[in-house]
Amino acid sequence: ARADDPLITDLDAQPWTQFLGDPVDAMPYGMPSEHEAHVVRRTVSWLTADATSSINFTPLHELEGIITPNGLCFERHHGGAAHIAPGDWRLMVNGLVGRQSVFTLADIMRFPRVTRTHFLECAANSGMEWRGAQLNGCQYTHGMIHNVMYTGVPLRLVLEEAGLKGAAAWVLAEGADAAGMTRSIPLDKCLDDCLIATHMNGERLRPEQGYPARLVVPGWEGNMWVKWLRRIEVGDHPWHHREETSKYTDLLADGTARRFTWEMDVKSVITSPSPQAPITHGRGPTVISGVAWSGRGRVAEVHVTTDGGVNWTKARIEGPSLDKSMHRFNHEFDWDGAPLLLQSRAIDTAGYVQPTKDALRAVRGVNSIYHNNAIQTWAVDSDGRAENVEIS
Ligand code: MTE
Ligand code: CO
């Protein structure tokens, strides 16, 4: 801006300097600026028949750093968001345990607690992109993910309190919502790093995220993170329920299906520039920013290309690099105003490299909805507008 800009020289153009502001208690629970009202979760109307069993998307293109604010975490409900009073919440542990037990929330809160930051990605994230570029914006192509700092009790401690019997090998987690959602989880995973979480980003879970308690299953598909948790059954076999047979299995080209594909493979996306976040400043210094994550550990490196994969440059990982958590990457470059083909490619600490769409389709076909972790391309035109495209 110029030095004689009225917004720096003319107090009449700046009413906020001349009148008193809001008192401290104008809003006991704080809200974002009214100028940020466009930063909201959004749905895709044609995706589901009914809003009660549906999904909305995190506005990734508006966010910075690695933490998703609570009010912007995407929601996925199979039977609507349940509202449970904490005093009415109960957790039963039954099956192959020494003592069938029922815990209140107060009981759970007396176990030693831990705090961990993890991403939750729905297995269906990017599922609409299997057969071709479809949705114009990373909110819709990649927004079935959030990254939250959870506080909760290791599931291991609750299972040990109930006493595991020798044959115990699997756990069934059941939700208290109208969907009564259930998933089978191998006992090893439950004893390793699963949590019964009560808090997200320092405050209590939001109702839509499973208040007062949800399962956290780090690095594994979001469907297993049972919300409004009410029962943990210990058994010696998986239960083969709906969400692990007709749903959340990966139909291959030959008609057979992969099942129990729990881990979320390494993935990344450029959030800016992107279709909802075009370049508006013209040529010159430009920041490419995005997010990357892996269910197999940390993200080791992210590479960025501006020419559709001819040349790749290592981006800077910015901020904390945590296990099974979202990472932020940035890459600054001098834009000459020519059209761009932007891509990011992440590599995790397990050595797994994010595949191209062609490479993924060669193995998985195009029948699947779930586990699409392919490289995303944005075509940026000379006006800075970005579009979802595919190149081969
Ligand atoms: N748990 C219950 N009880 N009911 C549900 O509908 N949806 C699952 C999982 N846990 C669901 C549930 C799915 S498919 C996903 S992707 C995640 O919760 C979404 O968690 P979120 O709503 O916090 O984003
Ligand atoms: Co899901």
Side-chain angles (χ1 to χ4, degrees):
R2 299 195 321 261
D4 62 350
D5 188 330
L7 282 168
I8 196 72
T9 58
D10 180 2
L11 285 185
D12 286 339
Q14 306 165 56
W16 49 86
T17 66
Q18 299 175 57
F19 302 100
L20 293 174
D22 292 337
V24 286
D25 57 355
M27 217 178 268
Y29 192 97
M31 293 293 286
S33 160
E34 60 190 300
H35 305 291
E36 300 297 321
H38 58 287
V39 183
V40 288
R41 303 184 277 222
R42 292 182 192 278
T43 55
V44 173
S45 55
W46 51 262
L47 210 56
T48 53
D50 185 282
T52 310
S53 177
S54 192
I55 189 142
N56 58 22
F57 300 85
T58 303
L60 290 176
H61 60 293
E62 296 281 359
L63 302 181
E64 261 304 333
I66 64 165
I67 294 292
T68 313
N70 289 343
L72 295 176
C73 287
F74 87 94
E75 309 162 67
R76 170 73 174 111
H77 314 309
H78 290 74
H83 290 264
I84 304 175
D88 295 339
W89 182 84
R90 297 290 182 274
L91 175 66
M92 170 178 264
V93 182
N94 69 330
L96 295 179
V97 290
R99 290 170 301 283
Q100 177 172 304
S101 313
V102 174
F103 299 95
T104 65
L105 194 60
D107 296 335
I108 291 296
M109 301 290 295
R110 292 177 65 189
F111 284 91
R113 61 188 84 138
V114 296
T115 294
R116 303 271 158 70
T117 302
H118 294 300
F119 74 84
L120 179 166
E121 183 183 17
C122 181
N125 199 20
S126 314
M128 293 81 83
E129 305 291 308
W130 267 108
R131 288 160 191 260
Q134 179 156 234
L135 296 170
N136 225 13
C138 65
Q139 179 165 16
Y140 307 111
T141 56
H142 290 74
M144 293 184 194
I145 187 166
H146 48 65
N147 199 61
V148 162
M149 183 184 280
Y150 295 97
T151 302
V153 172
L155 179 55
R156 176 178 61 81
L157 298 181
V158 176
L159 290 170
E160 283 171 3
E161 177 69 21
L164 291 168
K165 290 196 167 159
W170 287 81
V171 159
L172 183 80
E174 181 184 71
D177 53 333
M181 227 201 65
T182 45
R183 276 300 294 257
S184 304
I185 308 172
L187 182 64
D188 286 350
K189 178 68 173 172
C190 298
L191 297 178
D192 178 21
D193 60 359
C194 292
L195 305 178
I196 299 173
T198 51
H199 291 69
M200 60 193 293
N201 294 328
E203 64 180 2
R204 292 285 184 159
L205 292 179
R206 292 289 170 90
E208 56 270 36
Q209 262 72 46
Y211 180 90
R214 87 172 305 165
L215 209 56
V216 167
V217 189
W220 288 21
E221 62 187 18
N223 185 257
M224 307 177 85
W225 298 46
V226 173
K227 303 191 277 189
W228 311 288
L229 185 66
R230 78 151 165 215
R231 194 167 66 89
I232 297 283
E233 184 176 337
V234 180
D236 57 4
H237 63 277
W239 280 258
H240 308 294
H241 282 187
R242 175 183 181 273
E243 309 292 331
E244 52 211 23
T245 52
S246 91
K247 307 293 175 195
Y248 301 98
T249 49
D250 312 321
L251 188 58
L252 301 175
D254 66 1
T256 63
R258 303 193 313 168
R259 60 183 316 201
F260 295 149
T261 48
W262 302 301
E263 263 171 334
M264 300 309 294
D265 287 318
V266 72
K267 188 165 168 181
S268 69
V269 66
I270 292 172
T271 53
S272 173
S274 66
Q276 297 159 289
I279 304 175
T280 54
H281 55 60
R283 63 187 61 197
T286 302
V287 177
I288 294 175
S289 189
V291 286
W293 59 93
S294 169
R296 297 176 191 272
R298 290 177 298 104
V299 173
E301 287 181 17
V302 181
H303 301 149
V304 167
T305 177
T306 58
D307 55 17
V310 181
N311 297 290
W312 292 92
T313 318
K314 197 166 147 184
R316 287 185 300 114
I317 304 266
E318 173 59 37
S321 170
L322 301 169
D323 185 41
K324 304 179 182 76
S325 168
M326 201 179 260
H327 292 56
R328 169 68 51 180
F329 65 87
N330 288 329
H331 173 66
E332 294 82 10
F333 80 114
D334 204 14
W335 185 40
D336 61 6
L340 305 167
L341 286 172
L342 294 181
Q343 298 179 328
S344 63
R345 176 182 66 195
I347 303 168
D348 67 17
T349 47
Y352 183 113
V353 182
Q354 186 180 1
T356 63
K357 284 194 171 187
D358 287 346
L360 190 65
R361 285 181 186 135
V363 177
R364 300 272 310 281
V366 291
N367 288 332
S368 194
I369 307 167
Y370 308 111
H371 294 279
N372 176 359
N373 67 322
I375 290 173
Q376 172 69 43
T377 312
W378 306 126
V380 179
D381 69 16
S382 51
D383 291 325
R385 282 185 300 246
E387 217 190 320
N388 181 4
V389 300
E390 278 193 13
I391 53 174
S392 48

